[in-house]
Amino acid sequence: LVGHPVRITATARIGEGAVIDLEREAELGGAIHTKGVMILTSFLAARYSRTMPLSLAASLVFEQSYGPVEGDSASLAELCALLSALAGVPIRQALAVTGSVNQYGLVQAIGGVNEKIEGFFEICRARGLDGGNGVVIPQSNVKHLMLRRDVVEAAEQGMFHVWPVADVDQAIELLTGVPAGVPDEKGMVPPNTINYLVSAQLAEMSLLRREFAGSGKSKRRRKERE
């Protein structure tokens, strides 16, 4: 078993609350992967759109992947890609991510954690380790770590890193270097944090969608009067 790193990209625009699994649309994605993408939609709606319509259309894809995609081990990475696209904050490309995520944003254990870390390590070593490379894994997988000696030595020297996370907020902070943003007692999220930027973007999308719908109705009324 060998871990094979794949780049995931996400786009977001005004829509009707759908996160499109392009792998599924191309008949390359399996049912479990599609379920993982549906969970992301539920998470976004529950956290950011409880009092307004979720008015985005988003797309997720494994770039240059030409075979079947199955499982939910990439759902944490997919969610972080979506949050990055919505917040307009880039993700550090020197890091890899593995982990499943549930509707509450909690990160769940996955299989093959050692092989996935070692697979990314091989690519990083071939390109030259500079101390900035590493893998984000579920905290619940720490007890399963049994890495090769060369990976352990690189970690001991600070040339490679393994970061365990318990939830998506911890992951997105590591990946972007921007605080996730924790709501205060009044439910207000600090400005210029990931959660603030995502909330603001989704609120703007909801407003624009209503405005477009309203303008369409006005045009139809004018035509009826004519």
Side-chain angles (χ1 to χ4, degrees):
L1 181 64
V2 178
H4 178 62
V6 177
R7 187 185 300 273
I8 295 172
T9 59
T11 60
R13 58 271 180 201
I14 297 173
E16 297 181 356
V19 177
I20 302 169
D21 177 10
L22 294 183
E23 303 298 330
R24 183 68 169 180
E25 295 296 316
E27 299 184 353
L28 290 174
I32 297 175
H33 179 260
T34 299
K35 178 183 177 182
V37 174
M38 294 170 68
I39 288 172
L40 304 188
T41 307
S42 178
F43 169 82
L44 290 175
R47 174 174 283 196
Y48 303 107
S49 295
R50 297 182 68 177
T51 58
M52 63 182 181
L54 183 61
S55 302
L56 90 157
S59 301
L60 286 164
V61 69
F62 285 61
E63 298 291 355
Q64 292 188 300
S65 172
Y66 307 114
V69 174
E70 184 57 297
D72 61 356
S73 296
S75 59
L76 174 61
E78 290 170 323
L79 179 53
C80 288
L82 275 173
L83 296 178
S84 168
L86 287 166
V89 178
I91 282 177
R92 296 167 57 190
Q93 298 300 296
L95 307 185
V97 183
T98 185
S100 169
V101 69
N102 67 16
Q103 293 187 96
Y104 300 99
L106 300 177
V107 179
Q108 304 169 133
I110 45 82
V113 65
N114 292 292
E115 291 80 7
K116 290 170 182 176
I117 294 171
E118 290 167 357
F120 188 63
F121 174 79
E122 290 290 349
I123 288 181
C124 295
R125 183 168 61 178
R127 294 180 176 179
L129 294 171
D130 61 6
N133 303 114
V135 182
V136 178
I137 69 168
Q139 192 174 72
S140 50
N141 273 126
V142 170
K143 60 186 176 184
H144 304 129
L145 291 179
M146 218 165 58
L147 297 166
R148 293 192 326 240
R149 187 61 204 168
D150 55 345
V151 180
V152 174
E153 289 175 353
E156 289 173 343
Q157 296 166 10
M159 299 304 292
F160 191 76
H161 307 275
V162 177
W163 289 285
V165 296
D167 56 46
V168 65
D169 288 333
Q170 292 179 3
I172 199 67
E173 285 188 3
L174 275 169
L175 293 170
T176 64
V178 177
V182 179
D184 60 19
E185 295 177 354
K186 297 181 180 179
M188 301 298 293
V189 179
N192 300 317
T193 59
I194 297 294
N195 287 322
Y196 177 89
L197 294 170
V198 171
S199 296
Q201 182 62 62
L202 290 174
E204 183 178 358
M205 286 179 173
S206 182
L207 177 61
L208 290 172
R209 182 183 171 193
R210 287 198 298 271
E211 289 178 352
F212 284 135
S215 64
K217 290 178 182 178
S218 298
K219 288 179 181 178
R220 286 195 294 273
R221 291 194 189 101
R222 284 198 297 269
K223 288 182 179 180
E224 289 172 359
R225 291 194 191 106
E226 293 173 357

